[in-house]
Amino acid sequence: MFCYEKKEHKKDGHEYIEITGFDGKIEHLVVPDIIDGIKVEAIGNHAFSGRSDIVSISLPETIKTLYGFAFHDCRNLREISLFDSLDDYYDGVCRQCDNLELVEITVNRSWYEVIRNFLADNDKTLSFLVHTKISEEAGLLENEEKNTVDNEADYLDSFLTFPEYVYDFNENTMARTIQFSIAGAGMFYRECVDRRKIDYRQYDSLFSKAIIDGSKMAENIAVARLLYPVELSDGSRKTYEDFISVNGENLLKRLIEQSANLGQSSWGSCKKLDFLERILSYRKDDGEGMFLSKVMDAAVQYASMKGYTTITAMLMDKTSHQSVVEETGFFF
């Protein structure tokens, strides 16, 4: 059960709940929005610090404050879902959560500061699934962006991965100075997020730096941007498509493994199997698929050899469908 305190707000005096911990073990921590008829608005200092049992955390939209080191050193924490309702994010909230990979955030008031805070708190690779509410003044969307919108709720979805970075310190004894450099593309990618917006064009322009960090990182970025093409230019689209085509065999093997081991892996809420299905169904402007027939055949053989029957059947269906497209020129 949750441990908590009832408090009065310093500005207007309203009563609210501050969560101070949880009594007992729990893997999937779902914080309620109301306790004893009072709104839950804060997670206290060190409330869940050092816990090894928590794998995922879901915070309600009522949460306005995450106090210092609230989830510090939760070493098995992999996912957090929350809203842009946060007004205050104190130091070290998710520091040393080295297995944290996914933050799912619903943006209802165009406030991206929470993303900046998570990125500032963590120098490891971190992905964000962002559900942005479309305001009336947002204007018309590109056709490809409309495909990512939940029509019932009018949300636009994007998926962005921010690579890690490392500070490298060197002591110059002769000059009696400390010199430092930054290794990795992560710092550059983090500069794409402002309090009020995400600069998707700047994000895409950094892809050459992600490639230097390694093909796995670049593949993750490319796939996500193609499947969630918010403000994706034609030039960047082609860059991502070309990269995936060249690295198709390795990418498919990795996606097959991830899809087959959902229960043992992270960011399950992003439906890795769905990622695999959608990238296999992806079509370029000329109607061609992303992968050559020989790459698809190799993927079928790999999944079959591994004994992944469901995935093998799906790949065979996609391969058969692609053959029809290649022979007839029709995509349906």
Side-chain angles (χ1 to χ4, degrees), residues 22-58:
F22 187 89
D23 187 12
K25 291 187 176 181
I26 186 168
E27 286 190 13
H28 305 291
L29 184 73
V30 180
V31 176
D33 57 351
I34 293 178
I35 294 179
D36 293 342
I38 305 172
K39 285 185 178 181
V40 177
E41 295 187 3
I43 307 295
N45 282 299
H46 293 276
F48 300 96
S49 180
R51 297 193 60 141
S52 60
D53 53 336
I54 300 175
V55 175
S56 69
I57 296 170
S58 179

Side-chain angles (χ1 to χ4, degrees), residues 25-291:
K25 291 187 176 181
I26 186 168
E27 286 190 13
H28 305 291
L29 184 73
V30 180
V31 176
D33 57 351
I34 293 178
I35 294 179
D36 293 342
I38 305 172
K39 285 185 178 181
V40 177
E41 295 187 3
I43 307 295
N45 282 299
H46 293 276
F48 300 96
S49 180
R51 297 193 60 141
S52 60
D53 53 336
I54 300 175
V55 175
S56 69
I57 296 170
S58 179
L59 301 178
E61 195 170 6
T62 55
I63 295 293
K64 298 182 181 298
T65 304
L66 294 179
Y67 283 106
F69 302 94
F71 306 111
H72 168 257
D73 193 30
C74 287
R75 44 195 173 274
N76 290 316
L77 176 63
R78 295 184 179 276
E79 303 176 23
I80 295 179
S81 66
L82 73 167
F83 294 79
D84 67 336
S85 55
L86 284 181
D87 292 325
D88 294 297
Y89 182 110
Y90 284 74
D91 186 50
V93 168
C94 286
R95 194 162 301 162
Q96 292 185 282
C97 295
D98 292 339
N99 285 311
L100 178 63
E101 287 191 4
L102 176 70
V103 177
E104 184 172 1
I105 178 170
T106 300
V107 180
N108 286 328
R109 55 176 188 152
S110 300
W111 188 242
Y112 296 93
E113 178 73 6
V114 61
I115 296 180
R116 283 165 49 91
N117 289 329
F118 271 103
L119 290 171
D121 224 9
N122 196 319
D123 56 8
K124 304 295 184 182
T125 297
L126 199 57
S127 295
F128 290 82
L129 178 58
V130 186
H131 310 290
T132 303
K133 188 173 184 180
I134 302 171
S135 59
E136 294 181 359
E137 58 270 19
L140 296 175
L141 298 171
E142 298 292 337
N143 290 332
E144 59 268 29
E145 292 180 15
K146 291 180 181 177
N147 294 332
T148 67
V149 175
D150 181 339
N151 291 322
E152 294 183 1
D154 290 329
Y155 283 89
L156 184 65
D157 292 347
S158 61
F159 190 98
L160 300 173
T161 295
F162 293 82
E164 67 179 1
Y165 66 95
V166 177
Y167 275 114
D168 187 19
F169 294 89
N170 295 299
E171 182 179 1
N172 188 327
T173 55
M174 296 295 293
R176 297 182 179 179
T177 61
I178 300 293
Q179 299 173 332
F180 73 92
S181 60
I182 299 174
M187 182 61 74
F188 300 101
Y189 272 90
R190 281 159 172 75
E191 293 174 354
C192 299
V193 183
D194 199 351
R195 287 186 172 185
R196 286 293 182 182
K197 65 181 178 66
I198 297 173
D199 191 334
Y200 291 97
R201 301 302 173 95
Q202 181 183 355
Y203 181 95
D204 293 329
S205 72
L206 297 170
F207 189 58
S208 60
K209 296 183 183 297
I211 294 175
I212 296 174
D213 281 358
S215 60
K216 179 180 177 180
M217 175 57 60
E219 288 165 8
N220 288 344
I221 291 173
V223 170
R225 286 297 284 141
L226 291 175
L227 297 184
Y228 295 87
V230 177
E231 296 187 31
L232 183 61
S233 69
D234 292 339
S236 293
R237 182 193 309 279
K238 188 174 188 311
T239 297
Y240 290 136
E241 289 174 346
D242 291 346
F243 182 83
I244 290 177
S245 295
V246 170
N247 296 275
E249 188 168 345
N250 289 332
L251 170 62
L252 284 182
K253 285 183 179 179
R254 189 159 56 83
L255 287 178
I256 288 169
E257 287 293 341
Q258 291 174 343
S259 300
N261 296 286
L262 283 176
Q264 305 171 24
S265 57
S266 58
W267 50 286
S269 61
C270 280
K271 302 174 183 175
K272 290 181 177 179
L273 183 58
D274 181 58
F275 262 55
L276 176 59
E277 289 180 322
R278 289 176 61 191
I279 199 63
L280 290 172
S281 300
Y282 183 91
R283 288 295 178 270
K284 303 176 185 178
D285 288 340
D286 58 7
E288 293 291 327
M290 186 66 69
F291 307 102

Side-chain angles (χ1 to χ4, degrees), residues 284-301:
K284 303 176 185 178
D285 288 340
D286 58 7
E288 293 291 327
M290 186 66 69
F291 307 102
L292 298 174
S293 295
K294 64 178 182 179
V295 174
M296 292 292 291
D297 291 339
V300 171
Q301 292 177 8

Side-chain angles (χ1 to χ4, degrees), residues 309-321:
T309 54
T310 301
I311 296 176
T312 300
M314 182 193 72
L315 287 167
M316 291 179 67
D317 178 66
K318 296 292 184 182
T319 302
S320 175
H321 186 227

